[in-house]
Amino acid sequence: MSASGRGETTDDLLAALLDGMDAALCAFDADGVITHWNREAERILGWSAAEAVGRKGFAGWAVRAADAQDVEERLMAVQDVPGRQVHEFALVTKEGGRVLVRTQSAGVPGADGKPAGVYCAFSEVHAQIDLERSIALSEALMDDASWGVVLVDVDLRPAVVNAHAARAFGSARTALLGRPLGELLDQGVEELEGALSHVLAEGSPPAPAELWVSVRTPEGVRRRCWRSGFLRLGSPLAEEPVPLGVGWLFQDVTESRQAALDTAQLRFRAGQLHRSGRAAAECGDPAEAAAVRLDFALAGFAEHALLDVLEQSSDPDRRRLVRVAASPPVLPDPGAGVSAARYEPGHPAMQALDRIGSVRTSAPRGEAGGSWARERQWPQDAAHVLCTVLRSRGRTLGVLTFVRGASRAAFEQADAAYAEEVAARVAADLDLGAWPRHDPKDLA
């Protein structure tokens, strides 16, 4: 290829590069004559390259006459100082309007090292400010915002984590990067990954969502509620929308949500106690009233309720509990009447009798139901059990047992308080019905 051919190719490449830039760019020779003018400069000011190249400075066409000398002096002065200079000018568009631009200009040295001209990149001030604000916002969010911010890639793995989010996960920022969410969360990972996948496929949801998760930390598993918002991230450089991942912003609202849940739970349980009292008042048989109270107590609380009454005996070593009611009802064996629950001394029901209080217990991990429940004469699906004593007029009448399956959480202190409230009402019904009854041998 000839030298002229190589020169033409170089010029074409340079023109293509200049026209492909996102910033407006023009260049001046040492005399201030415009030598280059790209498409972004044409878009902002309306003057084409054919109209701009060859003009001396901006005077008479792209700047007001009163500003022309000042603009030219400031632009050409950068030939004599090192580095780039930033200025703001008011330029004139082809239609006669004015636009405020921010310029970055620098001198261009020639082959002999002497000033050969100036290049000037410029953009509309509001666009530059918007860009700076976006960068500042990104840096602030990724530094230490009051929200957790996680940028998740298309493989649903954290790519960027801010300091707040790292503290929420109980780990260092770099230790979270690239790890599957299943390694960070013990529960709730399915819901979170489902939300992220939906955002990648369908776009950002219209409103935040509250996600309950269990976070694995060095101190153990913590149950948290995160109010989360999601934003699909797309590349601004691609012609087609290409998802880069998801921006996930969240706040920890565990305390407020738990307080709201506790308040709603207390309100519901108080309502159940009130309704059960109204229903029990319509029962002619105190034993029936006690059974009605058990039915109301189970709603949202447990799967089973067992009512064992202490069989009165003159021998303190012969304490026996007799099953008098269950909810839901358990079909008795054919021909059997009330059954004596022969609990061992260490049985939770017997412990409740000894303590005159409540006892909570749960099946060992992996042993819910089956032999663990059968040995303790509880329903087969038992995983969590709460036994509370029945007391009325200073006497112990028996034990009330509530049973939960493996799908529910273990009983807590607030649950024990509610169970004791139910037990007090059931004990009053039993006392009214002359329970416990004496052992016939003691009446002989």
Side-chain angles (χ1 to χ4, degrees):
M1 180 181 293
S2 65
S4 60
R6 286 195 297 271
E8 291 174 359
T9 301
T10 302
D11 291 342
D12 292 341
L13 177 59
L14 177 59
L17 290 174
L18 294 178
D19 284 340
M21 294 179 63
D22 292 331
L25 187 137
C26 63
F28 304 85
D29 63 15
D31 297 324
V33 176
I34 295 177
T35 59
H36 296 83
W37 187 268
N38 73 349
R39 289 182 182 176
E40 185 65 12
E42 179 180 349
R43 185 193 68 79
I44 294 175
L45 297 178
W47 302 96
S48 67
E51 295 170 309
V53 173
R55 291 179 180 265
K56 181 174 174 56
F58 291 139
W61 62 288
V63 71
R64 293 192 314 169
D67 300 330
Q69 182 176 355
D70 177 62
V71 169
E72 182 174 353
E73 289 177 354
R74 292 165 70 183
L75 282 176
M76 301 309 294
V78 300
Q79 294 183 98
D80 303 322
V81 295
R84 293 178 297 174
Q85 299 292 312
V86 178
H87 303 286
E88 289 186 2
F89 303 128
L91 299 182
V92 178
T93 66
K94 188 175 182 179
E95 289 76 19
R98 297 182 69 202
V99 57
L100 184 64
V101 300
R102 179 175 295 177
T103 66
Q104 294 187 51
S105 52
V108 179
D112 56 0
K114 296 181 179 180
V118 172
Y119 85 82
C120 174
F122 64 92
S123 61
E124 297 175 80
V125 166
H126 71 81
Q128 181 71 19
I129 292 176
D130 287 345
L131 175 61
E132 292 177 2
R133 284 173 178 162
S134 297
I135 295 173
L137 174 62
S138 298
E139 291 180 347
L141 288 175
M142 291 299 110
D143 185 16
D144 195 13
S146 57
W147 303 276
V149 181
V150 181
L151 302 187
V152 183
D153 62 22
V154 292
D155 295 323
L156 307 186
R157 300 188 180 209
V160 181
V161 180
N162 76 342
H164 187 102
R167 288 193 297 270
F169 278 100
S171 181
R173 295 173 67 173
T174 54
L176 298 172
L177 304 183
R179 295 176 61 185
L181 294 173
E183 293 182 3
L184 308 175
L185 302 177
D186 188 58
Q187 293 179 344
V189 64
E190 295 84 2
E191 293 80 358
L192 177 56
E193 289 185 340
L196 294 171
S197 298
H198 178 81
V199 172
L200 283 173
E202 303 294 336
S204 304
E210 291 184 356
L211 301 174
W212 282 93
V213 298
S214 295
V215 186
R216 295 192 181 103
T217 68
E219 295 77 23
V221 177
R222 296 184 302 171
R223 182 78 168 158
R224 312 304 296 168
C225 181
W226 290 340
R227 184 169 178 80
S228 304
F230 302 95
L231 299 169
R232 182 165 64 176
L233 306 178
S235 172
L237 304 179
E239 295 183 4
E240 297 291 334
V242 177
L244 297 178
V246 177
W248 171 30
L249 291 81
F250 66 90
Q251 271 189 317
D252 193 318
V253 293
T254 307
E255 283 71 20
S256 61
R257 291 302 300 142
Q258 191 60 55
L261 290 174
D262 291 345
T263 300
Q265 184 183 77
L266 287 173
R267 188 183 300 115
F268 174 77
R269 289 178 176 179
Q272 287 298 98
L273 289 173
H274 174 73
R275 284 187 286 271
S276 68
R278 295 288 298 271
E282 301 301 322
C283 298
D285 182 2
E288 181 185 357
V292 166
R293 292 187 191 276
L294 297 186
D295 293 339
F296 277 92
L298 283 183
F301 185 68
E303 277 78 39
H304 303 276
L306 310 175
L307 181 58
D308 297 324
V309 173
L310 187 63
E311 190 174 60
Q312 195 68 22
S313 172
S314 59
D315 184 357
D317 296 329
R318 291 185 58 226
R319 293 186 307 173
R320 288 197 309 172
L321 289 170
V322 177
R323 180 73 46 78
V324 296
S327 183
V330 178
L331 294 177
D333 294 334
V338 293
S339 60
R342 296 178 178 86
Y343 297 141
E344 297 296 327
H347 191 282
M350 305 306 291
Q351 294 180 35
L353 287 178
D354 294 335
R355 298 178 186 180
I356 313 180
S358 297
V359 174
R360 290 173 284 159
T361 186
S362 295
R365 184 179 294 272
E367 296 183 22
S371 60
W372 182 83
R374 187 166 51 253
E375 290 171 359
R376 291 159 180 78
Q377 302 181 50
W378 290 329
Q380 291 298 307
D381 59 345
H384 311 289
V385 177
L386 168 61
C387 299
T388 186
V389 70
L390 298 166
R391 296 276 295 177
S392 178
R393 293 191 297 166
R395 297 182 304 144
T396 299
L397 307 184
V399 175
L400 177 58
T401 300
F402 290 101
V403 178
R404 286 178 176 174
S407 61
R408 288 180 179 266
F411 288 101
E412 299 179 351
Q413 185 58 44
D415 299 322
Y418 177 61
E420 290 167 3
E421 194 68 30
V422 174
R425 287 162 168 75
V426 172
D429 292 331
L430 295 178
D431 198 8
L432 184 62
W435 287 86
R437 295 171 182 169
H438 290 278
D439 189 330
K441 296 180 181 179
D442 298 324
L443 299 177

